[in-house]
Amino acid sequence: MTSFVKLICFQFSSSVQLSVARFLSRQWPVRLHRSVSSASNSSVTPAAKRENLPPANVTEKVKQTTKDVGYFTIVLGGFALTGTILYAIIQELFSSKSPNGVYDDAFKICKTDSRVLNLFGSSLKARTSPDSRRRRQNIAYDSWYDDKGRLHMAMKFYIKGNLESGVVYLEVVENESKEFDYRYLIVETEGGFSKKQIILRSFSEVDNPDL
């Protein structure tokens, strides 16, 4: 019985030793590999580190791309600014609520009215001042808002035909549709006591007290 126990203990001890040996044989290469790796990392020279950096042409490409993006942003901003300026100019020239729009509409009424043509002559021209040779130059106008928030615009310009010369007075006010209606549009000839007046548009203050 004792011999049998000793045999079992011997076999168990041998198995344990074999297991430990196998464990050490498995772990030793890993530790050795780690030691070699650590040694190799510590022995990397500055020249080798520089070799791991990206090539110079890659850096130049990054710089050039950054410059291109900056130029594109500047060009895009220039286009946006140009578009804003063009929009403002178009609104000023062609909007019916701009001074130029009111000026054009009033002169169109004048030159198509038979009373004005009979008094001033057929070749009627409009000017912003008596001595101006240009049709559009410093239009004399004033604009304001009343207590109801409606925009008003008053204007004065000059007309001249082959028979007479005169002055046009007008005032417009916004209606419910935010468009301009005439409060008055009057043409007068120049010439002191002998001047004549033609009322082309008018609103009665009695019939329209809100105006």
Side-chain angles (χ1 to χ4, degrees):
M1 183 68 178
T2 304
S3 300
F4 179 75
V5 172
K6 288 181 178 180
L7 179 62
I8 293 176
C9 290
F10 176 78
Q11 291 180 351
F12 178 77
S13 176
S14 300
S15 299
V16 171
Q17 291 177 359
L18 181 62
S19 298
V20 171
R22 288 178 178 176
F23 175 78
L24 292 176
S25 65
R26 291 176 181 176
Q27 294 298 320
W28 176 253
V30 175
R31 292 179 180 177
L32 180 62
H33 175 71
R34 289 178 180 175
S35 300
V36 172
S37 299
S38 300
S40 62
N41 289 336
S42 61
S43 62
V44 174
T45 62
K49 290 183 178 179
R50 286 195 296 271
E51 291 179 357
N52 293 328
L53 294 175
N57 58 347
V58 175
T59 305
E60 292 298 327
K61 288 182 179 179
V62 172
K63 290 181 179 180
Q64 186 61 40
T65 302
T66 304
K67 289 181 180 179
D68 293 341
V69 171
Y71 293 149
F72 177 76
T73 303
I74 294 173
V75 172
L76 189 62
F79 277 121
L81 180 60
T82 302
T84 303
I85 294 174
L86 288 176
Y87 177 78
I89 292 174
I90 292 173
Q91 284 291 103
E92 177 66 22
L93 292 178
F94 299 104
S95 174
S96 61
K97 296 182 66 175
S98 68
N100 282 292
V102 174
Y103 175 82
D104 287 338
D105 186 71
F107 180 58
K108 182 179 179 180
I109 294 173
C110 293
K111 69 181 181 180
T112 56
D113 188 276
S114 59
R115 296 170 296 172
V116 175
L117 294 177
N118 291 334
L119 183 59
F120 289 87
S122 58
S123 58
L124 197 64
K125 296 180 181 179
R127 296 290 184 267
T128 55
S129 65
D131 301 327
S132 175
R133 294 184 178 182
R134 300 178 62 183
R135 183 183 173 188
R136 301 177 189 275
Q137 185 177 7
N138 300 325
I139 298 175
Y141 76 96
D142 188 20
S143 60
W144 68 94
Y145 288 90
D146 59 23
D147 55 357
K148 295 185 178 181
R150 298 176 302 182
L151 177 62
H152 292 245
M153 185 181 297
M155 186 177 296
K156 173 185 176 182
F157 63 91
Y158 299 84
I159 58 175
K160 184 177 182 179
N162 56 352
L163 299 178
E164 286 281 357
S165 59
V167 186
V168 178
Y169 303 93
L170 68 92
E171 182 183 338
V172 291
V173 60
E174 279 184 336
N175 56 26
E176 295 180 354
S177 301
K178 298 298 181 181
E179 297 295 332
F180 276 149
D181 286 332
Y182 284 93
R183 291 194 67 186
Y184 60 83
L185 175 58
I186 301 172
V187 179
E188 285 186 351
T189 60
E190 296 177 337
F193 294 105
S194 62
K195 65 181 180 181
K196 299 178 181 180
Q197 185 181 85
I198 301 174
I199 300 176
L200 300 176
R201 296 286 188 276
S202 68
F203 278 108
S204 172
E205 293 288 342
V206 177
D207 296 337
N208 300 277
D210 292 337
L211 295 175

